[in-house]
Amino acid sequence: MSGPTKTMAVLTFAALVLTTAYTVALGSSGWLWFGWVVLGVVTIGMAASDSASPPTPRPRPPAGAGPAHP
């Protein structure tokens, strides 16, 4: 996981804690939970795209390698 993805995961967890604390103290807010769900989906998407990086291309052989062409 890259740095930005880790930061996003920490922010998502902090938002969950704050949303839960708000719900306990002042009552439930549908928009707050909807926002947290959207944030969670974006975080999962970032983590998925981070882990699906394309394979690195094979290096080219040196110019003098291989069979000689007449």
Side-chain angles (χ1 to χ4, degrees), residues 8-37:
M8 188 73 165
V10 169
L11 288 175
T12 302
F13 182 74
L16 173 63
V17 170
L18 291 174
T19 302
T20 304
Y22 181 93
T23 298
V24 168
L26 301 175
S28 184
S29 169
W31 284 109
L32 207 57
W33 283 105
F34 175 75
W36 183 81
V37 167

Side-chain angles (χ1 to χ4, degrees), residues 1-3 8 11 16 23 30 32 38 40 42-43 58-59 61 67:
M1 215 185 308
S2 67
M8 188 73 165
L11 288 175
L16 173 63
T23 298
L32 207 57
V38 169
V42 170
T43 302
R58 295 187 318 176

Side-chain angles (χ1 to χ4, degrees), residues 56-66:
T56 57
R58 295 187 318 176
R60 291 182 142 193

